[in-house]
Amino acid sequence: MFELVPSKYMRDFYKEIGFEFTDFQKATLIWNAPNKTRQEILDALQELADETREAKVRQQILERIGYFWIIRILSMCM
């Protein structure tokens, strides 16, 4: 499971106060997640893109995934 917030204390606190991240915030946390492999990040972003009802967020996520693959391909050509 992909934890958006690494700290169990903070996850519990957010749950206690009923706080939920927007899909945009989730995407940002996923992209910048420490201690996750790039593949885990891409998989989590794809899952979020598949589940979100926000078209703009879906578009931004898919652009970010595409950006990663372009950079990866370009780095292989150097």
Short mmCIF file of all heavy atoms in Angstrom, two decimals, residues 6-44:
data_model
loop_
_atom_site.label_atom_id
_atom_site.label_comp_id
_atom_site.label_asym_id
_atom_site.label_seq_id
_atom_site.Cartn_x
_atom_site.Cartn_y
_atom_site.Cartn_z
N PRO A 6 4.22 9.56 5.43
CA PRO A 6 5.05 8.53 6.05
C PRO A 6 4.84 8.38 7.56
O PRO A 6 4.98 7.28 8.09
CB PRO A 6 6.48 9.00 5.77
CG PRO A 6 6.38 9.99 4.67
CD PRO A 6 5.01 10.58 4.76
N SER A 7 4.49 9.44 8.23
CA SER A 7 4.36 9.41 9.68
C SER A 7 3.02 8.82 10.12
O SER A 7 1.96 9.34 9.79
CB SER A 7 4.48 10.84 10.23
OG SER A 7 4.07 10.89 11.57
N LYS A 8 3.08 7.73 10.90
CA LYS A 8 1.86 7.13 11.42
C LYS A 8 1.13 8.11 12.34
O LYS A 8 -0.10 8.20 12.32
CB LYS A 8 2.17 5.84 12.17
CG LYS A 8 0.91 5.15 12.69
CD LYS A 8 1.23 3.86 13.39
CE LYS A 8 0.03 3.14 13.94
NZ LYS A 8 -1.15 3.84 14.27
N TYR A 9 1.88 8.87 13.10
CA TYR A 9 1.28 9.86 13.99
C TYR A 9 0.43 10.85 13.19
O TYR A 9 -0.70 11.16 13.56
CB TYR A 9 2.38 10.60 14.76
CG TYR A 9 1.87 11.76 15.58
CD1 TYR A 9 1.30 11.55 16.83
CD2 TYR A 9 1.92 13.06 15.09
CE1 TYR A 9 0.80 12.61 17.58
CE2 TYR A 9 1.43 14.12 15.83
CZ TYR A 9 0.88 13.89 17.07
OH TYR A 9 0.38 14.94 17.80
N MET A 10 0.99 11.36 12.09
CA MET A 10 0.26 12.34 11.28
C MET A 10 -0.93 11.68 10.57
O MET A 10 -2.00 12.29 10.46
CB MET A 10 1.18 13.00 10.26
CG MET A 10 2.18 13.96 10.89
SD MET A 10 1.44 15.22 11.97
CE MET A 10 0.39 16.10 10.84
N ARG A 11 -0.76 10.44 10.08
CA ARG A 11 -1.90 9.74 9.46
C ARG A 11 -3.04 9.59 10.44
O ARG A 11 -4.20 9.85 10.12
CB ARG A 11 -1.46 8.36 8.95
CG ARG A 11 -0.63 8.40 7.69
CD ARG A 11 -0.48 7.02 7.05
NE ARG A 11 -0.09 5.96 7.94
CZ ARG A 11 1.17 5.60 8.19
NH1 ARG A 11 2.16 6.25 7.62
NH2 ARG A 11 1.43 4.60 8.98
N ASP A 12 -2.70 9.20 11.68
CA ASP A 12 -3.72 9.05 12.72
C ASP A 12 -4.38 10.39 13.05
O ASP A 12 -5.59 10.47 13.24
CB ASP A 12 -3.12 8.44 13.99
CG ASP A 12 -2.72 6.98 13.81
OD1 ASP A 12 -3.14 6.35 12.82
OD2 ASP A 12 -1.95 6.48 14.66
N PHE A 13 -3.57 11.44 13.11
CA PHE A 13 -4.10 12.77 13.40
C PHE A 13 -5.06 13.23 12.30
O PHE A 13 -6.15 13.72 12.59
CB PHE A 13 -2.95 13.77 13.56
CG PHE A 13 -3.42 15.18 13.78
CD1 PHE A 13 -4.03 15.56 14.97
CD2 PHE A 13 -3.26 16.13 12.79
CE1 PHE A 13 -4.47 16.86 15.18
CE2 PHE A 13 -3.70 17.44 12.97
CZ PHE A 13 -4.30 17.80 14.17
N TYR A 14 -4.65 13.07 11.05
CA TYR A 14 -5.53 13.47 9.94
C TYR A 14 -6.84 12.69 9.98
O TYR A 14 -7.92 13.25 9.74
CB TYR A 14 -4.85 13.25 8.59
CG TYR A 14 -3.72 14.22 8.31
CD1 TYR A 14 -2.63 13.84 7.54
CD2 TYR A 14 -3.74 15.52 8.79
CE1 TYR A 14 -1.60 14.72 7.27
CE2 TYR A 14 -2.71 16.41 8.54
CZ TYR A 14 -1.65 16.01 7.77
OH TYR A 14 -0.63 16.88 7.49
N LYS A 15 -6.75 11.41 10.29
CA LYS A 15 -7.97 10.60 10.38
C LYS A 15 -8.86 11.08 11.52
O LYS A 15 -10.07 11.20 11.37
CB LYS A 15 -7.59 9.13 10.59
CG LYS A 15 -8.76 8.19 10.58
CD LYS A 15 -8.32 6.74 10.70
CE LYS A 15 -9.51 5.83 10.67
NZ LYS A 15 -9.13 4.41 10.74
N GLU A 16 -8.24 11.39 12.65
CA GLU A 16 -8.98 11.86 13.83
C GLU A 16 -9.75 13.16 13.56
O GLU A 16 -10.87 13.33 14.01
CB GLU A 16 -7.99 12.08 14.98
CG GLU A 16 -8.61 12.56 16.28
CD GLU A 16 -7.57 12.80 17.35
OE1 GLU A 16 -6.62 11.99 17.46
OE2 GLU A 16 -7.70 13.80 18.08
N ILE A 17 -9.15 14.06 12.81
CA ILE A 17 -9.81 15.35 12.54
C ILE A 17 -10.63 15.32 11.25
O ILE A 17 -11.26 16.32 10.89
CB ILE A 17 -8.81 16.52 12.52
CG1 ILE A 17 -7.82 16.39 11.37
CG2 ILE A 17 -8.10 16.65 13.86
CD1 ILE A 17 -6.95 17.62 11.16
N GLY A 18 -10.62 14.19 10.56
CA GLY A 18 -11.43 14.06 9.34
C GLY A 18 -10.85 14.76 8.13
O GLY A 18 -11.57 15.10 7.20
N PHE A 19 -9.53 14.97 8.14
CA PHE A 19 -8.88 15.66 7.02
C PHE A 19 -8.64 14.69 5.88
O PHE A 19 -8.18 13.57 6.09
CB PHE A 19 -7.54 16.25 7.49
CG PHE A 19 -6.78 16.92 6.38
CD1 PHE A 19 -7.08 18.21 6.00
CD2 PHE A 19 -5.76 16.25 5.72
CE1 PHE A 19 -6.38 18.83 4.98
CE2 PHE A 19 -5.06 16.86 4.71
CZ PHE A 19 -5.37 18.16 4.34
N GLU A 20 -8.93 15.13 4.65
CA GLU A 20 -8.63 14.34 3.46
C GLU A 20 -7.94 15.22 2.44
O GLU A 20 -8.32 16.37 2.24
CB GLU A 20 -9.91 13.77 2.86
CG GLU A 20 -10.57 12.72 3.72
CD GLU A 20 -11.75 12.05 3.04
OE1 GLU A 20 -11.77 12.02 1.79
OE2 GLU A 20 -12.62 11.57 3.75
N PHE A 21 -6.93 14.67 1.79
CA PHE A 21 -6.22 15.40 0.75
C PHE A 21 -7.07 15.44 -0.52
O PHE A 21 -7.80 14.49 -0.83
CB PHE A 21 -4.89 14.72 0.42
CG PHE A 21 -3.87 14.81 1.52
CD1 PHE A 21 -3.59 13.72 2.32
CD2 PHE A 21 -3.19 15.99 1.74
CE1 PHE A 21 -2.65 13.79 3.33
CE2 PHE A 21 -2.24 16.08 2.75
CZ PHE A 21 -1.98 14.99 3.55
N THR A 22 -6.92 16.53 -1.28
CA THR A 22 -7.54 16.58 -2.61
C THR A 22 -6.72 15.66 -3.51
O THR A 22 -5.58 15.28 -3.18
CB THR A 22 -7.52 18.00 -3.18
OG1 THR A 22 -6.14 18.38 -3.41
CG2 THR A 22 -8.20 19.00 -2.26
N ASP A 23 -7.27 15.32 -4.66
CA ASP A 23 -6.52 14.47 -5.59
C ASP A 23 -5.25 15.17 -6.08
O ASP A 23 -4.22 14.54 -6.28
CB ASP A 23 -7.40 14.05 -6.77
CG ASP A 23 -8.41 12.99 -6.35
OD1 ASP A 23 -8.25 12.38 -5.28
OD2 ASP A 23 -9.36 12.76 -7.12
N PHE A 24 -5.32 16.48 -6.24
CA PHE A 24 -4.12 17.23 -6.64
C PHE A 24 -3.04 17.12 -5.56
O PHE A 24 -1.86 16.90 -5.86
CB PHE A 24 -4.47 18.70 -6.90
CG PHE A 24 -3.29 19.52 -7.29
CD1 PHE A 24 -2.81 19.50 -8.60
CD2 PHE A 24 -2.62 20.30 -6.36
CE1 PHE A 24 -1.70 20.24 -8.98
CE2 PHE A 24 -1.51 21.05 -6.72
CZ PHE A 24 -1.05 21.02 -8.04
N GLN A 25 -3.44 17.26 -4.31
CA GLN A 25 -2.49 17.14 -3.21
C GLN A 25 -1.92 15.72 -3.14
O GLN A 25 -0.72 15.53 -2.88
CB GLN A 25 -3.15 17.51 -1.88
CG GLN A 25 -3.49 18.98 -1.76
CD GLN A 25 -4.38 19.28 -0.57
OE1 GLN A 25 -5.23 18.48 -0.17
NE2 GLN A 25 -4.19 20.46 0.00
N LYS A 26 -2.78 14.73 -3.35
CA LYS A 26 -2.31 13.34 -3.35
C LYS A 26 -1.26 13.14 -4.44
O LYS A 26 -0.22 12.50 -4.19
CB LYS A 26 -3.48 12.38 -3.59
CG LYS A 26 -4.44 12.28 -2.44
CD LYS A 26 -5.61 11.39 -2.82
CE LYS A 26 -6.68 11.38 -1.76
NZ LYS A 26 -7.85 10.57 -2.17
N ALA A 27 -1.51 13.66 -5.63
CA ALA A 27 -0.56 13.51 -6.73
C ALA A 27 0.78 14.15 -6.38
O ALA A 27 1.85 13.59 -6.66
CB ALA A 27 -1.13 14.12 -8.01
N THR A 28 0.74 15.31 -5.76
CA THR A 28 1.97 15.99 -5.36
C THR A 28 2.74 15.18 -4.32
O THR A 28 3.96 15.02 -4.42
CB THR A 28 1.64 17.40 -4.81
OG1 THR A 28 0.97 18.15 -5.82
CG2 THR A 28 2.89 18.13 -4.37
N LEU A 29 2.03 14.66 -3.33
CA LEU A 29 2.68 13.84 -2.30
C LEU A 29 3.27 12.56 -2.90
O LEU A 29 4.37 12.15 -2.53
CB LEU A 29 1.69 13.50 -1.19
CG LEU A 29 1.30 14.66 -0.29
CD1 LEU A 29 0.12 14.28 0.59
CD2 LEU A 29 2.47 15.12 0.56
N ILE A 30 2.55 11.96 -3.82
CA ILE A 30 3.05 10.74 -4.46
C ILE A 30 4.32 11.05 -5.25
O ILE A 30 5.33 10.35 -5.12
CB ILE A 30 1.97 10.11 -5.36
CG1 ILE A 30 0.82 9.56 -4.51
CG2 ILE A 30 2.58 9.01 -6.24
CD1 ILE A 30 -0.42 9.19 -5.30
N TRP A 31 4.28 12.08 -6.09
CA TRP A 31 5.43 12.40 -6.94
C TRP A 31 6.68 12.69 -6.12
O TRP A 31 7.79 12.36 -6.53
CB TRP A 31 5.10 13.59 -7.84
CG TRP A 31 6.22 13.91 -8.79
CD1 TRP A 31 7.10 14.94 -8.68
CD2 TRP A 31 6.59 13.18 -9.95
NE1 TRP A 31 7.99 14.91 -9.73
CE2 TRP A 31 7.71 13.83 -10.53
CE3 TRP A 31 6.09 12.03 -10.57
CZ2 TRP A 31 8.32 13.37 -11.68
CZ3 TRP A 31 6.72 11.59 -11.74
CH2 TRP A 31 7.81 12.25 -12.27
N ASN A 32 6.51 13.30 -4.96
CA ASN A 32 7.64 13.68 -4.12
C ASN A 32 7.90 12.71 -2.97
O ASN A 32 8.61 13.07 -2.02
CB ASN A 32 7.41 15.09 -3.57
CG ASN A 32 7.42 16.12 -4.67
OD1 ASN A 32 8.43 16.32 -5.33
ND2 ASN A 32 6.30 16.76 -4.89
N ALA A 33 7.34 11.53 -3.04
CA ALA A 33 7.43 10.57 -1.93
C ALA A 33 8.87 10.11 -1.70
O ALA A 33 9.53 9.62 -2.62
CB ALA A 33 6.54 9.37 -2.21
N PRO A 34 9.33 10.27 -0.47
CA PRO A 34 10.67 9.75 -0.14
C PRO A 34 10.62 8.23 0.06
O PRO A 34 9.58 7.67 0.40
CB PRO A 34 11.00 10.46 1.18
CG PRO A 34 9.66 10.70 1.81
CD PRO A 34 8.69 10.92 0.67
N ASN A 35 11.73 7.61 -0.18
CA ASN A 35 11.87 6.16 0.09
C ASN A 35 10.93 5.29 -0.73
O ASN A 35 10.58 4.18 -0.30
CB ASN A 35 11.69 5.87 1.58
CG ASN A 35 12.66 6.64 2.43
OD1 ASN A 35 13.83 6.80 2.07
ND2 ASN A 35 12.19 7.16 3.55
N LYS A 36 10.49 5.77 -1.87
CA LYS A 36 9.68 4.95 -2.79
C LYS A 36 10.45 4.84 -4.10
O LYS A 36 11.12 5.78 -4.53
CB LYS A 36 8.32 5.60 -3.07
CG LYS A 36 7.43 5.73 -1.86
CD LYS A 36 6.96 4.38 -1.38
CE LYS A 36 6.00 4.55 -0.22
NZ LYS A 36 5.55 3.30 0.32
N THR A 37 10.34 3.69 -4.73
CA THR A 37 10.99 3.54 -6.03
C THR A 37 10.21 4.34 -7.07
O THR A 37 9.03 4.65 -6.88
CB THR A 37 11.04 2.07 -6.47
OG1 THR A 37 9.70 1.61 -6.71
CG2 THR A 37 11.72 1.19 -5.42
N ARG A 38 10.89 4.65 -8.16
CA ARG A 38 10.22 5.39 -9.23
C ARG A 38 9.02 4.58 -9.74
O ARG A 38 7.98 5.14 -10.05
CB ARG A 38 11.22 5.70 -10.35
CG ARG A 38 10.69 6.59 -11.43
CD ARG A 38 10.14 7.90 -10.95
NE ARG A 38 11.07 8.70 -10.18
CZ ARG A 38 10.76 9.81 -9.54
NH1 ARG A 38 9.54 10.28 -9.57
NH2 ARG A 38 11.65 10.46 -8.84
N GLN A 39 9.16 3.26 -9.82
CA GLN A 39 8.05 2.43 -10.30
C GLN A 39 6.86 2.47 -9.34
O GLN A 39 5.71 2.53 -9.77
CB GLN A 39 8.50 0.99 -10.53
CG GLN A 39 7.48 0.16 -11.28
CD GLN A 39 7.17 0.74 -12.66
OE1 GLN A 39 8.07 0.99 -13.45
NE2 GLN A 39 5.90 0.98 -12.95
N GLU A 40 7.12 2.46 -8.04
CA GLU A 40 6.03 2.58 -7.06
C GLU A 40 5.31 3.91 -7.23
O GLU A 40 4.08 3.97 -7.15
CB GLU A 40 6.57 2.46 -5.64
CG GLU A 40 7.03 1.08 -5.25
CD GLU A 40 7.72 1.04 -3.90
OE1 GLU A 40 8.55 1.93 -3.61
OE2 GLU A 40 7.41 0.12 -3.12
N ILE A 41 6.07 4.96 -7.47
CA ILE A 41 5.49 6.28 -7.66
C ILE A 41 4.64 6.32 -8.92
O ILE A 41 3.49 6.78 -8.91
CB ILE A 41 6.59 7.35 -7.69
CG1 ILE A 41 7.18 7.51 -6.28
CG2 ILE A 41 6.08 8.67 -8.24
CD1 ILE A 41 8.44 8.34 -6.21
N LEU A 42 5.18 5.80 -10.02
CA LEU A 42 4.43 5.79 -11.28
C LEU A 42 3.16 4.95 -11.18
O LEU A 42 2.10 5.34 -11.69
CB LEU A 42 5.32 5.30 -12.42
CG LEU A 42 6.48 6.21 -12.79
CD1 LEU A 42 7.40 5.53 -13.80
CD2 LEU A 42 5.99 7.54 -13.32
N ASP A 43 3.26 3.80 -10.51
CA ASP A 43 2.08 2.95 -10.33
C ASP A 43 1.01 3.65 -9.50
O ASP A 43 -0.18 3.59 -9.83
CB ASP A 43 2.47 1.62 -9.66
CG ASP A 43 3.29 0.72 -10.57
OD1 ASP A 43 3.35 0.95 -11.79
OD2 ASP A 43 3.90 -0.24 -10.03
N ALA A 44 1.43 4.32 -8.43
CA ALA A 44 0.47 5.03 -7.58
C ALA A 44 -0.17 6.19 -8.33
O ALA A 44 -1.38 6.44 -8.21
CB ALA A 44 1.15 5.53 -6.31
#
